[in-house]
């Protein structure tokens, strides 16, 4: 079976992990700081806070900007459930903004319209989570302008977009957001097994995030409310979590970062090969927005008779997948009042979507197998 995504772990990565395991630090230690610096330098972000998953990163980013009961968070329905669940962890409400059928990202026109309505009836979101679907940045300049106008926070779900370029910078620089979140799940661009990171330019938010990942505790003398009672002394300043990343995971992440550019280059090359090979087939790919260069986490095609094509590909040993079942149609969200028909563009997109295999280690010959199988499945 050719999977839709998989990690690429080298001997050098393994050596880095073994070295970390033999060191004094097993949980959060110097490798975490090194990994954070590597990602921050790469994205040109001021601060990076590593945690144990992308989901935890979303959770503390929302909590860090003050999302709580009585507030609401808006996101795209075309995403993994975590982009919405992070609001629920904070006791906040969730709403969605429909997608642009050209890019499958949140529609800025739909967002603008919904914000105008919210301004009239006092239901303004506190946080917007734009999701850079498949590794293509949302239109962040426009979103940031709306955030300034209406006064909401922007937390980018950049789980798909490590390595993506937007408007002359890297996604994760937070040029147009308060925070951006990466995931290091094995199907993402680089992996730590499980892991995530919050990027931000805001020193106060960075400080809050560092406390939130470790029980709300600080040992920083400058932050203590009382005088230190000795070297053992720490204070819990807020209610936090244990969301720490282990040092051996961070060692893997830092080692993987050295190959990120090569991973992204290979993904872009494979996407070009797909684009070229699928030109004459009855399938449609996403339109590129002119302001960026995607790092391509997913390669999604839209096909008629999706079920039939999907089953044929799986039968041919191709681990195709579907991203995403619209979040508002999950039973948990339906129980909160969402209905089929609420976000028709995301629903229409979902009905026809198939994700083809895409990962740095996919060989040309394997990709040709996928292409030939897709040709047969769509022509029979
Ligand atoms: C992978 C992913 C997440 C969650 O990341 P985990 O590291 O698995 O917790 C969140 N949002 C999106 C869009 C993702 O693809």
């Amino acid at each position: 079976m050719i999977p839709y995504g998989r990690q690429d772990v080298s001997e050098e990565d393994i050596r880095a992990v073994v070295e970390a395991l033999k060191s004094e630090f097993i949980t959060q230690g110097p490798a975490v700081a090194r990994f954070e610096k590597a990602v921050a330098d790469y994205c040109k972000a001021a601060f990076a806070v590593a945690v144990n998953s992308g989901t935890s990163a979303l959770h503390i980013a929302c909590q860090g900007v003050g999302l709580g009961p009585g507030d609401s968070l808006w996101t795209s329905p075309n995403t993994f459930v975590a982009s919405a669940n992070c609001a629920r962890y904070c006791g906040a409400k969730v709403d969605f903004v429909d997608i642009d059928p050209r890019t499958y990202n949140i529609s800025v026109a739909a967002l603008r319209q919904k914000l105008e309505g919210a301004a009239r009836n006092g239901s303004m979101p506190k946080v917007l989570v734009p999701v850079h679907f498949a590794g293509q940045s949302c239109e962040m300049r426009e979103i940031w302008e709306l955030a300034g106008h209406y006064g909401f926070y922007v937390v980018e779900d950049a789980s798909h977009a490590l390595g993506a370029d937007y408007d002359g910078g890297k996604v994760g620089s937070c040029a147009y957001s308060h925070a951006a979140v990466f995931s290091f799940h094995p199907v993402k661009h680089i992996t730590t097994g499980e892991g995530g990171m919050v990027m931000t330019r805001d020193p106060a938010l960075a400080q809050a995030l560092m406390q939130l990942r470790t029980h709300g505790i600080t040992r920083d003398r400058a932050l203590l409310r009382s005088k230190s009672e000795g070297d053992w002394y720490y204070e819990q300043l807020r209610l936090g979590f244990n969301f720490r990343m282990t040092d051996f995971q961070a060692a893997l992440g830092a080692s993987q970062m050295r190959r990120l550019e090569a991973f992204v280059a290979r993904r872009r090359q494979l996407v070009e090969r797909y684009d070229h090979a699928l030109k004459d087939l009855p399938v449609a790919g996403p339109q590129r927005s002119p302001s960026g260069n995607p790092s391509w986490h997913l390669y999604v095609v839209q096909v008629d008779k999706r079920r039939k094509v999907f089953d044929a590909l799986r039968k041919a040993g191709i681990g195709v997948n579907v991203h995403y079942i619209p979040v508002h149609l999950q039973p948990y969200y339906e129980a909160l009042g969402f209905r089929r028909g609420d976000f028709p563009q995301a629903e229409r997109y979902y009905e026809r979507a198939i994700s083809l295999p895409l990962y740095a280690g996919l060989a040309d010959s394997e990709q040709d197998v996928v292409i030939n199988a897709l040709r047969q499945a769509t022509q029979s």
Side-chain angles (χ1 to χ4, degrees):
M1 179 83 100
I2 301 175
Y4 88 88
R6 67 161 297 164
Q7 69 277 12
D8 184 323
V9 175
S10 67
E11 288 304 317
E12 197 183 341
D13 291 341
I14 291 167
R15 275 197 297 277
V17 173
V18 169
E19 204 176 302
L21 281 170
K22 288 177 177 167
S23 79
E24 196 181 335
F25 300 93
I26 301 276
T27 185
Q28 188 181 308
V32 168
R34 216 163 50 236
F35 181 36
E36 289 172 337
K37 185 173 179 334
V39 181
D41 288 352
Y42 178 82
C43 299
K44 296 200 163 54
F47 303 97
V49 178
V51 290
N52 60 354
S53 73
T55 302
S56 298
L58 283 164
H59 181 175
I60 61 168
C62 289
Q63 192 138 327
V65 299
L67 187 71
D71 296 329
S72 68
L73 173 150
W74 292 2
T75 190
S76 167
N78 182 34
T79 186
F80 184 55
V81 292
S83 320
N85 289 347
C86 55
R88 305 297 296 151
Y89 301 145
C90 298
K93 284 189 298 227
V94 173
D95 203 351
F96 301 93
V97 180
D98 211 350
I99 62 167
D100 183 328
R102 294 168 302 180
T103 59
Y104 321 146
N105 273 333
I106 196 166
S107 158
V108 172
L111 173 63
R112 189 170 280 127
Q113 199 174 23
K114 198 174 173 98
L115 286 167
E116 282 165 9
R120 282 193 298 272
N121 64 22
S123 59
M124 204 43 81
K126 178 137 186 183
V127 175
L128 178 76
V129 176
V131 181
H132 305 311
F133 181 77
Q136 167 154 262
S137 176
C138 297
E139 290 157 59
M140 294 308 298
R141 274 191 313 250
E142 289 79 356
I143 288 171
W144 190 235
E145 201 179 295
L146 290 168
H149 182 73
Y150 289 104
F152 55 85
Y153 290 96
V154 179
V155 174
E156 300 169 74
D157 185 339
S159 299
H160 295 189
L162 182 60
D165 299 287
Y166 175 75
D167 196 31
K170 287 285 175 205
V171 167
S173 70
C174 302
Y176 304 105
S177 68
H178 297 89
V181 164
F182 292 123
S183 162
F184 309 121
H185 180 280
V187 295
K188 307 291 162 67
H189 290 82
I190 64 163
T191 192
T192 58
E194 297 280 0
M197 201 176 278
V198 189
M199 320 303 292
T200 183
R201 284 183 284 129
D202 177 352
L205 178 58
Q207 195 176 80
L209 296 168
M210 285 187 281
Q211 290 171 12
L212 284 167
R213 78 171 155 191
T214 183
H215 309 279
I217 283 173
T218 188
R219 290 172 183 276
D220 184 342
R221 291 268 170 121
L223 301 176
L224 298 178
R225 303 285 156 85
S226 312
K227 205 165 137 308
S228 172
E229 294 168 12
D231 277 352
W232 69 86
Y233 191 73
Y234 59 83
E235 284 179 355
Q236 184 190 343
L237 302 177
R238 59 174 86 224
L239 185 62
F241 309 91
N242 180 354
F243 284 167
R244 290 185 303 265
M245 176 182 279
T246 67
D247 233 37
F248 48 98
Q249 288 175 295
L252 176 57
S255 180
Q256 291 249 304
M257 272 306 284
R258 294 200 206 113
R259 282 182 297 145
L260 173 60
E261 284 290 270
F263 289 160
V264 171
R266 177 58 182 159
R267 283 171 178 270
R268 285 176 174 159
Q269 198 175 44
L270 287 163
V271 163
E272 247 174 65
R273 288 187 92 246
Y274 269 138
D275 282 348
H276 182 75
L278 303 183
K279 257 200 219 113
D280 58 333
L281 294 190
V283 303
Q287 274 183 33
R288 272 56 150 184
S289 124
S291 26
N293 189 8
S295 55
W296 298 117
H297 165 55
L298 298 173
Y299 190 88
V300 175
V301 291
Q302 299 258 285
V303 297
D304 294 332
K305 305 202 190 91
R306 190 265 309 273
R307 178 66 191 268
K308 185 181 134 271
V309 174
F310 183 96
D311 289 348
L313 288 167
R314 276 281 175 99
K315 224 170 125 196
I318 319 269
V320 283
N321 217 320
V322 172
H323 301 89
Y324 285 99
I325 303 164
V327 177
H328 68 284
L329 299 181
Q330 295 292 348
Y332 173 80
Y333 284 96
E334 284 191 333
L336 293 173
F338 295 100
R339 294 279 174 274
R340 193 167 293 277
D342 283 349
F343 304 100
Q345 296 294 355
E347 293 170 25
R348 199 163 307 144
Y349 155 84
Y350 162 66
E351 297 293 329
R352 305 182 66 231
I354 297 184
S355 303
L356 301 181
L358 183 67
Y359 48 93
L362 184 68
D364 285 4
S365 57
E366 291 171 316
Q367 189 184 29
D368 292 341
V369 170
V370 176
I371 290 163
N372 287 330
L374 183 66
R375 178 164 284 128
Q376 278 195 348
T378 53
Q379 285 171 350
S380 63

